[in-house]
Amino acid sequence: MNKRLKFHTRRGRDRGAYFIERLNLRSLGVKTSSYGFYTRLIPIGKDGLHLWRDGQNYIENHQYSDKVITSIWRDERYTVTAALLEDAQARLDEASTPARAYTAELVDLGRLWPVGRSRALLDGQRGLARPVWRLWLRGKQG
C-alpha cells in the first residue's frame, strides 16, 4: 500500500488523534538541513528602501544559533517600511532555524483515518512533545 503524507505546521483544527510510539508509530526519522539558513537579514524594498532601526539596516534572530550569517532580501514590491519590516521578520523567523524533514512508519495507516483528514505527530524522545506537525493522507482509500 503506497500513501503520500504531507506535513503542515498549522492547517485546519485539532481533532484530537495522534501518532504515538508504542501505539501506532513504529519509527520516526528526522533529517535537518541548514540550506537557506541565516540569522541576519538585510531587507531592501523599491528604490533602495532600507530599514533603519537603532542605527542598523538589518534585523536578527538568534533563536537557534549565535553565529551571524547574513542574507540580503530584495523585493521591489515594498514601498512602505513597516510592511517591509513585517514580512522580513516573518522570513527571518523561518530561516533562522534549520529545516526538518520527518519520515514515519505507522501501523495500518489506511484504517486510522479517512482520506483528507489530518492527524498530529508526537514523539517525546525527539523533542516533539506537542503536536507541531500535521499529517494529511492523500490518495484513494482502501
Side-chain angles (χ1 to χ4, degrees), residues 1-85:
M1 170 170 59
N2 290 328
K3 300 288 181 184
R4 175 181 278 197
L5 295 177
K6 205 171 182 184
F7 287 89
H8 297 279
T9 53
R10 290 185 193 137
R11 188 172 192 167
R13 59 186 170 149
D14 185 1
R15 298 194 186 271
Y18 303 98
F19 296 135
I20 302 172
E21 268 186 312
R22 293 188 216 121
L23 176 63
N24 54 3
L25 179 63
R26 287 189 179 155
S27 67
L28 178 65
V30 181
K31 288 185 178 181
T32 59
S33 171
S34 60
Y35 181 80
F37 173 80
Y38 50 87
T39 58
R40 176 182 287 175
L41 181 61
I42 303 172
I44 303 171
K46 188 172 185 170
D47 298 326
L49 178 69
H50 278 78
L51 298 179
W52 288 105
R53 298 177 50 207
D54 302 324
Q56 301 172 336
N57 68 340
Y58 59 85
I59 54 175
E60 291 184 308
N61 187 331
H62 294 282
Q63 63 180 329
Y64 180 80
S65 172
D66 291 332
K67 291 182 180 180
V68 175
I69 303 168
T70 304
S71 180
I72 298 173
W73 173 51
R74 297 176 196 275
D75 194 326
E76 294 290 319
R77 296 176 296 170
Y78 291 90
T79 58
V80 178
T81 305
L84 180 65
L85 173 61

Side-chain angles (χ1 to χ4, degrees), residues 1-3 106-111 137 140-142:
M1 170 170 59
N2 290 328
K3 300 288 181 184
L106 306 167
V107 176
D108 198 3
L109 185 59
R111 289 193 297 142
L137 183 63
K140 294 181 180 176
Q141 186 69 31

